């Protein structure tokens, strides 16, 4: 029998890459999705068959919600998954200041609901919690598994709660539960309102004459940026170990938003100063200045290390958005510049 995995947040960037990885390893994969009046499966459409009628299908979508404990308990009773990857969250930092209650309910209490569902059903499963480098906040870099948390946003506070609860359930109920403290990781599937995609999407539209201005906030913030497909490999590796533990996943290199901006525009043969304006409405109420991850523990125990570093990552993102826009224009789609 193939292993069975449940992924919350399967329609997001990480969920889609993780689904690809697990399917390539022979898993049966079930993804949690919220009810919506529109289709939100664009990132996994290439993986989906008619799973309701195809006897050979190995990817299935299940209706449920991290805000609905009953749906989670019923789902776990029915699926009995070998592995659970909790990637679902309200994951946009800036937006979390505007909707802190919802962010806490889904990102923090959602983790509590699924851990309690595991305990209630009594299933023997391995649990992965998607933790975040944002939890470190203003803690001086480099940050590792022993660094203190100083969250600087409602999103980061919610992630700290979920992190600690995962450790608590591991210690209290002998659960195989791991935290992956992932630093920023990007890809062409990144959400368009995250700063990297906002930049590269704008570059594509500027190149094609569809946009003439890009509005950004703090250009001095520094982040440790890696490549998302490599980071989901680390998620899987954590659940294959003999004992559960927590791991930082990062490149160990830090670059400012301005460095990313400059490299991305240069990759497309453009000068960013001609197109970029600073808009204070994009500043956070509390900033996180510098995040640099120390992934030496993951390297030693998991054998994981990043292969795609900053220059190549920037090229992948810029090239991906230019190709995407060109394919959309070829299909006759219309576009308007969007600044989130």
């Amino acid at each position: 029998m193939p292993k069975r995995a449940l992924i919350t947040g399967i329609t997001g960037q990480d969920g889609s890459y993780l689904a690809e990885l697990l399917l390539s390893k022979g898993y049966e994969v079930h993804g949690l999705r919220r009810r919506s009046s529109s289709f939100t499966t664009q990132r996994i459409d290439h993986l989906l068959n008619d799973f309701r009628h195809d006897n050979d299908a190995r990817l299935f979508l299940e209706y449920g919600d991290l805000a609905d404990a009953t749906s989670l308990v019923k789902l776990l009773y029915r699926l009995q998954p070998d592995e659970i990857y909790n990637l679902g969250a309200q994951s946009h930092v800036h937006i979390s200041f505007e909707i802190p209650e919802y962010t806490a309910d889904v990102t923090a209490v959602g983790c509590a609901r699924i851990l309690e569902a595991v305990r209630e059903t009594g299933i023997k499963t391995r649990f992965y919690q998607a933790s975040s480098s944002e939890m470190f906040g203003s803690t001086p870099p480099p940050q590792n598994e022993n660094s203190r948390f100083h969250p600087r946003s409602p999103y980061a506070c919610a992630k700290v709660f979920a992190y600690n609860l995962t450790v608590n359930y591991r210690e209290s109920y002998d659960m195989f539960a791991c935290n992956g403290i992932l630093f920023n990781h990007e890809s062409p599937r990144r959400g368009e309102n995250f700063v990297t995609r906002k930049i590269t999407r704008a570059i594509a539209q500027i190149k094609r004459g569809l946009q003439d201005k890009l509005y950004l906030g703090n250009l001095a913030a520094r982040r440790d940026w890696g490549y998302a497909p490599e980071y989901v490999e680390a998620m899987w590796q954590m659940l294959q170990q003999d004992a559960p533990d927590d791991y930082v996943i990062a490149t160990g290199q830090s670059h400012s938003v301005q460095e990313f901006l400059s490299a991305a525009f240069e990759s497309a043969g453009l000068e960013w100063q001609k197109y970029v304006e600073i808009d204070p409405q994009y500043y956070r109420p509390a900033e996180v200045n510098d995040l640099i991850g120390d992934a030496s523990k993951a390297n030693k125990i998991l054998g994981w290390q990043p292969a795609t570093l900053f220059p190549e990552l920037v090229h992948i993102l810029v090239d991906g958005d230019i190709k995407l826009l060109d394919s959309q224009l070829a299909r006759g789609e219309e576009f308007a510049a969007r600044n989130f």
Side-chain angles (χ1 to χ4, degrees):
M1 288 289 290
K3 282 187 176 181
R4 179 176 294 164
L6 172 64
I7 303 173
T8 72
I10 193 171
T11 58
Q13 170 189 254
D14 291 4
S16 67
Y17 284 120
L18 180 61
E20 286 180 347
L21 176 69
L22 296 180
L23 290 171
S24 74
K25 294 181 179 296
Y27 280 65
E28 177 182 302
V29 178
H30 295 255
L32 189 71
R33 64 170 169 175
R34 291 171 293 174
R35 171 70 179 91
S36 173
S37 60
S38 58
F39 290 108
T40 58
T41 59
Q42 297 90 338
R43 293 184 179 95
I44 56 172
D45 280 344
H46 64 294
L47 302 174
L48 285 171
N49 298 318
D50 183 0
F51 59 85
R52 299 189 187 281
H53 306 103
D54 184 352
N55 293 331
D56 295 324
R58 289 191 294 117
L59 175 61
F60 306 86
L61 297 183
E62 312 284 354
Y63 284 114
D65 200 307
L66 288 172
D68 178 8
T70 301
S71 69
L72 298 175
V73 171
K74 290 168 64 177
L75 192 60
L76 294 193
Y77 268 126
R78 178 165 62 85
L79 294 181
Q80 302 278 311
D82 299 289
E83 298 172 4
I84 299 172
Y85 297 85
N86 184 33
L87 313 183
Q90 190 304 99
S91 60
H92 197 282
V93 174
H94 187 88
I95 293 173
S96 76
F97 285 100
E98 300 179 22
I99 50 172
E101 182 179 347
Y102 175 78
T103 299
D105 187 38
V106 174
T107 307
V109 184
C111 176
R113 292 187 183 103
I114 198 164
L115 283 168
E116 186 61 13
V118 171
R119 191 186 72 84
E120 172 66 24
T121 57
I123 64 172
K124 297 300 180 184
T125 189
R126 296 188 170 202
F127 177 81
Y128 172 86
Q129 168 60 23
S131 293
S132 169
S133 61
E134 288 287 331
M135 300 187 304
F136 294 118
S138 59
T139 298
Q143 296 96 2
N144 62 27
E145 294 83 2
N146 298 316
S147 301
R148 74 182 184 98
F149 297 141
H150 186 180
R152 301 272 286 169
S153 67
Y155 166 76
C157 291
K159 283 293 188 180
V160 170
F161 176 93
Y163 172 94
N164 284 320
L165 198 68
T166 298
V167 174
N168 179 258
Y169 270 66
R170 180 170 73 214
E171 295 175 350
S172 300
Y173 303 114
D174 196 29
M175 285 187 185
F176 195 108
C178 300
N179 281 291
I181 309 173
L182 273 56
F183 281 61
N184 291 59
H185 45 289
E186 317 298 316
S187 79
R189 298 181 193 174
R190 187 64 142 147
E192 292 179 1
N193 58 348
F194 288 84
V195 68
T196 50
R197 277 299 308 284
K198 183 176 177 178
I199 291 169
T200 58
R201 187 178 185 279
I203 287 171
Q205 299 215 60
I206 289 168
K207 288 279 286 186
R208 298 300 178 251
L210 300 172
Q211 184 171 338
D212 55 11
K213 286 294 179 184
L214 170 62
Y215 298 94
L216 295 172
N218 180 16
L219 300 188
R222 302 183 66 86
R223 294 294 182 269
D224 184 329
W225 278 299
Y227 189 38
E230 297 169 4
Y231 283 46
V232 300
E233 178 79 28
M235 298 177 189
W236 176 78
Q237 289 174 335
M238 291 178 206
L239 297 196
Q240 312 315 307
Q241 303 305 303
D242 292 334
D245 208 342
D246 308 316
Y247 299 89
V248 162
I249 303 298
T251 70
Q253 298 181 3
S254 175
H255 297 273
S256 69
V257 174
Q258 183 168 320
E259 287 178 82
F260 183 95
L261 182 69
S262 177
F265 270 79
E266 183 178 345
S267 177
L270 299 170
E271 296 180 24
W272 70 269
Q273 294 89 343
K274 294 181 179 180
Y275 304 98
V276 176
E277 292 189 10
I278 302 302
D279 187 339
Q281 71 172 312
Y282 295 116
Y283 292 157
R284 298 181 186 179
E287 285 287 351
V288 173
N289 295 322
D290 197 0
L291 296 174
I292 309 173
D294 173 8
S296 55
K297 178 179 176 181
N299 177 254
K300 179 180 178 181
I301 298 176
L302 305 180
W304 183 89
Q305 59 183 3
T308 305
L309 299 179
F310 185 75
E312 184 181 358
L313 176 66
V314 172
H315 175 75
I316 289 171
L317 299 182
V318 173
D319 188 57
D321 262 320
I322 291 174
K323 287 180 178 177
L324 175 62
L325 179 59
D326 286 346
S327 68
Q328 291 169 329
L329 291 173
R331 295 195 298 269
E333 297 182 25
E334 296 184 0
F335 291 87
R338 294 205 294 268
N339 279 287
F340 298 94

